[in-house]
Amino acid sequence: MAVVILPGLLATEAGGQKRFELGAETVGGALRALPVANLLLDETGAVRPLVHVYVDGERERDLDSPLAPTATIRIVAAIAGG
Amino acid sequence: MDTLLLVGTRKGLFLIRGSQNGWQVEEPQLPGWQINHAVLDPRDGTLYACTNSWVYGGTVHRSSDLGQSWERSEELGLPEESGLKLASTWHLEPGHPSQPSTLWLGGEPGVLFRSEDSGATWAANEALLAHETRERWAPGAGGLVCHSIALDPENAERLWIGISAAGVFRSEDRGGSWEPANAGTEACFMSDDPFPEVGQCVHKVLAHPARPDRLWQQNHCGVYRSDDAGASWERLDENGLPSRFGFGLALDPGDPDVAYVIPEVGPENRVTSDGRLGIYRTGDAGASWNPTVAVDPAWAAVLREGMSFDANGGVYAGTQSGFVYALRDGQVTEAARHLPPILSVEAAAWQ
């Protein structure tokens, strides 16, 4: 099972859960399975511009990339605003 | 009966409770979210907030226990065929009392949604998305924002919306179609055609809750009143107001001839006029205006959602410098200070 780790605000929106174990074949599949999917993805299904997805420490921009069952996805909010 | 102020800020939602003992500011709710507007649905007491994030976009949160717990809306977005994406949520208006599960939501870019399940899911208003005048709309400083949703107090099929800078639109069929309602309002920034069909920079539109067909409008280019449901507008800012420019607008449910505005110097210098925070009142339908000064000196700014009123004649204003003022019985009190920049204020009754 791949692991997804959410930052604080998203964990709050996910009912307080920060770590998810998901059986998904692609990076996008894992994101879409989260209860905060509509905060990570816009209405077209694209990752929002300031949401950064890291898979095992590497930035991943392709939601169709295959996801290893041992992978760890970290969601990182780009710094914006003041 | 006491007052509950819902104050939306750049950094969370603040509830301020007012009673005979003064004002009590509670700990912020929805931390991390920018609250463009929050409202208490008078039909069932549900609290709704237009929540926005630089990172996670715009959405709506609702609470049935005054903020002890929150749910986030699902299915809030624009149809792919529109070619548009929802940029932010701006104003939430509970529907007509005869439609208890209906809510209206305005957002950017110039879009309107309706919920028929008390905010769980939302459908974009197709008639507005495909409006024949849309290509003539232009964003104001805050974006192309649907910020005003005014319901007819009697006719549940009729409502008005205000979009900056597209103007006022009226629907007689619950959003099935929209007609521009800008006759007589000036687009003073358009030198070639200052009275166009659309393109006016409306800052706030309110319908009087007790007198059908009476609308008030604070516009980029003047203060206006309509007594024919928006078919025509009369300009009102030349008798006692220091400026035609401003954002906030408040009414008195008990007297349709009363209105309040907070004039600002102008579009290039958006601070309150004359170096003070003046809340100007008319009691004669806009024929004359007189100020109550909340703070002097002050170079404050009150945004379009930053002014509200209650059923008892109280008027409330929150500034971008984080102060909240209450005007009741001609006296101003400070309800809060040092909040984050205030984006919205709504007043509600609580027991």
Side-chain angles (χ1 to χ4, degrees):
Chain A
M1 300 283 268
V3 171
V4 182
I5 299 174
L6 301 180
L9 181 60
L10 289 183
T12 300
E13 292 295 321
Q17 187 172 344
K18 187 177 182 66
R19 186 178 188 276
F20 289 80
E21 293 187 6
L22 299 167
E25 296 184 354
T26 64
V27 173
L31 300 187
R32 287 188 289 271
L34 293 168
V36 292
N38 60 1
L39 299 178
L40 300 171
L41 311 172
D42 67 21
E43 55 265 75
T44 69
V47 178
R48 296 183 188 276
L50 296 180
V51 171
H52 292 183
V53 179
Y54 287 84
V55 179
D56 291 333
E58 297 290 330
R59 178 84 184 270
E60 179 58 71
R61 292 181 168 84
D62 184 1
L63 293 180
D64 294 328
S65 292
L67 187 65
T70 57
T72 296
I73 299 177
R74 286 185 181 272
I75 306 299
V76 177
I79 296 170
Chain B
M1 189 74 73
D2 293 319
T3 301
L4 176 66
L5 299 181
L6 314 175
V7 179
T9 79
R10 289 202 187 280
K11 303 179 183 187
L13 172 66
F14 291 80
L15 270 55
I16 303 175
R17 295 177 188 269
S19 68
Q20 58 184 4
N21 299 321
W23 297 96
Q24 183 72 37
V25 181
E26 298 187 354
E27 293 287 319
Q29 301 190 29
L30 297 168
W33 291 96
Q34 172 173 309
I35 313 297
N36 281 350
H37 182 231
V39 65
L40 190 71
D41 189 337
R43 301 168 301 179
D44 63 4
T46 302
L47 178 57
Y48 294 93
C50 296
T51 36
N52 291 270
S53 160
W54 286 102
V55 181
Y56 306 120
T59 185
V60 171
H61 283 74
R62 59 176 177 165
S63 172
S64 58
D65 52 17
L66 272 185
Q68 294 183 48
S69 61
W70 291 92
E71 291 177 273
R72 191 177 69 257
S73 291
E74 302 169 4
E75 296 180 35
L76 176 56
L78 298 173
E80 189 171 357
E81 56 270 24
S82 71
L84 300 172
K85 291 184 180 181
L86 178 63
S88 59
T89 56
W90 267 76
H91 182 95
L92 196 146
E93 189 71 26
H96 196 271
S98 65
Q99 300 159 355
S101 298
T102 299
L103 301 166
W104 297 90
L105 172 67
E108 182 187 5
V111 293
L112 181 72
F113 297 86
R114 192 173 74 198
S115 173
E116 298 293 358
D117 54 13
S118 300
T121 62
W122 299 88
N125 185 274
E126 299 280 355
L128 193 64
L129 279 176
H131 201 272
E132 60 185 7
T133 66
R134 177 171 277 270
E135 65 182 23
R136 285 183 270 158
W137 304 357
L144 186 62
V145 175
C146 179
H147 50 67
S148 295
I149 303 168
L151 306 182
D152 189 287
E154 295 183 349
N155 181 356
E157 298 293 305
R158 174 189 279 179
L159 69 160
W160 300 263
I161 56 173
I163 300 174
S164 300
V168 178
F169 296 81
R170 180 176 64 190
S171 176
E172 300 283 356
D173 53 6
R174 207 167 173 249
S177 60
W178 298 93
E179 292 294 326
N182 300 301
T185 56
E186 187 177 1
C188 52
F189 43 85
M190 290 185 180
S191 57
D192 55 337
D193 181 12
F195 290 92
E197 179 188 28
V198 297
Q200 282 83 350
C201 190
V202 51
H203 286 178
K204 195 66 196 171
V205 176
L206 297 174
H208 193 273
R211 179 180 288 189
D213 296 345
R214 171 160 287 189
L215 304 175
W216 293 82
Q217 177 182 165
Q218 171 69 69
N219 188 294
H220 189 104
C221 308
V223 177
Y224 295 89
R225 191 193 77 245
S226 173
D227 285 338
D228 54 13
S232 64
W233 294 87
E234 178 185 357
R235 192 170 159 191
L236 306 167
D237 54 90
E238 294 172 334
N239 295 301
L241 291 181
S243 168
R244 64 184 179 180
F245 188 87
F247 288 93
L249 177 65
L251 306 180
D252 182 343
D255 187 343
D257 289 339
V258 171
Y260 300 84
V261 294
I262 300 178
E264 296 189 359
V265 173
E268 295 177 322
N269 187 17
R270 300 177 178 206
V271 297
T272 47
S273 297
D274 300 327
R276 62 190 192 184
L277 175 51
I279 301 172
Y280 285 72
R281 177 185 186 274
T282 179
D284 52 17
S288 63
W289 299 85
N290 291 291
T292 298
V293 177
V295 185
D296 181 9
W299 293 266
V302 175
L303 295 174
R304 71 184 83 245
E305 302 281 10
M307 198 172 185
S308 183
F309 59 97
D310 64 20
N312 302 316
V315 174
Y316 308 90
T319 71
Q320 289 197 70
S321 46
F323 284 69
V324 180
Y325 297 98
L327 171 61
R328 300 203 276 199
D329 301 324
Q331 299 294 317
V332 175
T333 57
E334 183 185 293
R337 58 169 55 191
H338 303 314
L339 301 183
I342 291 171
L343 307 177
S344 69
V345 174
E346 281 282 359
W350 67 290
Q351 290 179 310

